[in-house]
Amino acid sequence: MFALLTFERIVLTPTADRDFLMPYPAPIQTRRVLAGFGLSVALTTTLAACSTAEPPVESARATPAERVRIASVEPAPGASQLAFPGTTRASDGGDLAFQTAGRLARRLDIGEAFEQGDVLATLDNPRLQPGVDAARQRVEQLLQQRRQAERDLARVQALGDRNAATTEEVEQVRSRLAALKAAEAAARAQQVEAEQLLGESRMTAPYAGTVTRSYVDPGEFVPAGTAVLAVAGSGSRLEIEIVLPESLILSRQPGESIPVRLPLLDRTVQGQVVEIANAAAGAGRLFPLVVSLPAATLRAGLTAEVVIPVARQDELTVPLRAVVDPGSHEPHVYRLAGDRAERVAVRVGDLLGERIVVSGALQAGDSVITAGLTRLIDGQTVDVLR
């Protein structure tokens, strides 16, 4: 709303008589002058503000400090031990399978002992024996034909010596004999293959041992290559296989004595390193290590832990709960810097009980946050609970 103030100004027009002036009786020209525009705007704004003014909005409250708990960064002990779990097994043992398909006719049961060469299982395949018979008949037939061709060649050569047979006839008989010899050799190879397949229907023991597991029951169809029995050799040594990172595999030596704990038996025995992998299964993978065990008082299938000594120098540890996303590509901790949380990227190492080895921009004595990490961000104000 604008208030407009106007004024009228009378314009005096002189007459011919210059001796005096008088108001001009004719229509008076007027000019309306806009006065006080700025004043009007100011008054209008003030009135509008007075009529619509509201109390000032309160500014956003500051984010409250996150309540946290802290722990110290500590040096790792000079030496420690790492336990790698595994299961004892016989050095001679594994899964056995048929190289041909068929129905399982019989097998040994779990726990049954056997000697080298004993039949462990048999397979029923009705096509195997006829295949062997057909191959043998083919070999016998070609054998008779070859012998006849040899007699024919001898007779034709004798005739050729007396000029009673041409050279072409001799060469024809000789070529026929060579073809029969080649066919006979191929038939004998087929016979050997058929007999081997028939022999594969009987699973024989490669060494003396015991059946430790069965995968297929009699009457079931067994595809070629499917494991049927698991066996363990008797009299062979026991061993345990573990996997180690590259930081530990490089310091192991063949013949090294390593303690092995048997938790369920509450015993510790001395093992010996017998196999060390020269390569991992792939980039970033672990390296297999095989430790032999005394088999006198042990058996296969026991839970065991191989204890590896580890020397540590200039390594730092933090509580495991202080590391955020330890299994990701960006593990980190929050260090206490004054009254704020400072994010520090770290690399994680070995577990040492409730603590873990880390490397990064940390020093011994720094305080890292161990509780209250859920909503914590870099630079956030924190309130340390004592």
Side-chain angles (χ1 to χ4, degrees):
M1 176 177 62
F2 296 95
L4 300 179
L5 303 180
T6 60
F7 299 89
E8 291 185 357
R9 184 175 64 179
I10 300 176
V11 180
L12 300 180
T13 304
T15 62
D17 189 354
R18 297 180 181 274
D19 296 327
F20 64 90
L21 296 174
M22 59 176 295
Y24 188 71
I28 299 175
Q29 297 179 3
T30 63
R31 295 181 183 176
R32 292 198 167 123
V33 181
L34 183 61
F37 179 79
L39 177 61
S40 300
V41 173
L43 292 174
T44 304
T45 305
T46 302
L47 293 174
C50 293
S51 61
T52 62
E54 295 181 357
V57 179
E58 185 180 357
S59 61
R61 295 181 179 179
T63 303
E66 188 71 24
R67 306 182 72 184
V68 299
R69 294 187 183 275
I70 61 174
S72 297
V73 179
E74 299 178 358
S80 61
Q81 294 179 338
L82 297 178
F84 294 86
T87 304
T88 60
R89 69 184 186 189
S91 58
D92 293 333
D95 294 340
L96 303 181
F98 292 103
Q99 294 186 9
T100 185
R103 182 181 60 83
L104 183 63
R106 60 174 294 272
R107 62 163 173 76
L108 297 185
D109 295 328
I110 298 176
E112 286 194 59
F114 53 84
E115 297 296 329
Q116 183 177 5
D118 289 351
V119 177
L120 304 180
T122 58
L123 204 64
D124 182 17
N125 189 332
R127 294 184 300 177
L128 296 180
Q129 187 61 50
V132 172
D133 296 339
R136 290 174 178 173
Q137 291 176 2
R138 176 62 175 166
V139 170
E140 184 63 26
Q141 179 182 6
L142 291 173
L143 175 61
Q144 297 299 328
Q145 293 178 359
R146 177 179 63 82
R147 290 175 177 174
Q148 181 61 44
E150 290 174 346
R151 290 192 294 268
D152 292 343
L153 178 61
R155 185 176 61 257
V156 171
Q157 286 178 339
L159 294 175
D161 294 340
R162 296 193 299 271
N163 295 324
T166 64
T167 304
E168 289 78 6
E169 292 176 339
V170 175
E171 290 300 326
Q172 288 178 356
V173 176
R174 183 178 286 112
S175 297
R176 180 170 176 271
L177 176 60
L180 288 173
K181 287 182 178 181
E184 182 184 358
R188 289 188 181 278
Q190 293 177 353
Q191 177 185 352
V192 171
E193 181 181 1
E195 291 174 347
Q196 287 179 345
L197 287 176
L198 180 61
E200 286 296 330
S201 64
R202 299 169 69 250
M203 181 184 295
T204 57
Y207 40 75
T210 305
V211 176
T212 60
R213 186 176 180 182
S214 62
Y215 301 101
V216 183
D217 293 328
E220 294 185 39
F221 179 79
V222 182
T226 301
V228 176
L229 294 175
V231 298
S234 60
S236 61
R237 73 177 190 274
L238 294 179
E239 62 185 19
I240 178 173
E241 181 177 342
I242 60 174
V243 288
L244 298 179
E246 57 182 302
S247 59
L248 297 180
I249 197 68
L250 295 177
S251 58
R252 306 278 72 83
Q253 297 294 331
E256 177 184 359
S257 179
I258 292 182
V260 178
R261 287 200 298 258
L262 303 167
L264 297 182
L265 300 181
D266 194 20
R267 291 178 54 191
T268 299
V269 298
Q270 287 299 122
Q272 188 177 37
V273 176
V274 293
E275 296 181 25
I276 303 176
N278 292 325
R285 302 290 185 87
L286 301 177
F287 294 78
L289 177 78
V290 179
V291 178
S292 67
L293 302 173
T297 58
L298 301 177
R299 64 176 61 186
L302 298 178
T303 301
E305 295 178 347
V306 179
V307 181
I308 303 295
V310 180
R312 303 186 179 280
Q313 296 179 352
D314 302 327
E315 291 184 337
L316 300 176
T317 66
V318 298
L320 180 59
R321 58 183 179 275
V323 182
V324 182
D325 295 334
S328 68
H329 296 289
E330 298 181 356
H332 58 277
V333 299
Y334 284 98
R335 176 172 53 193
L336 184 64
D339 61 346
R340 295 184 179 276
E342 179 184 8
R343 174 173 170 153
V344 179
V346 296
R347 293 181 61 186
V348 297
D350 299 326
L351 280 172
L352 302 178
E354 297 295 328
R355 301 181 70 86
I356 186 171
V357 176
V358 295
S359 59
L362 295 173
Q363 295 181 357
D366 287 347
S367 296
V368 292
I369 297 174
T370 59
L373 296 166
T374 306
R375 298 181 300 274
L376 204 60
I377 60 175
D378 189 21
Q380 184 174 353
T381 303
V382 294
D383 180 16
V384 179
L385 298 176
R386 302 297 179 179

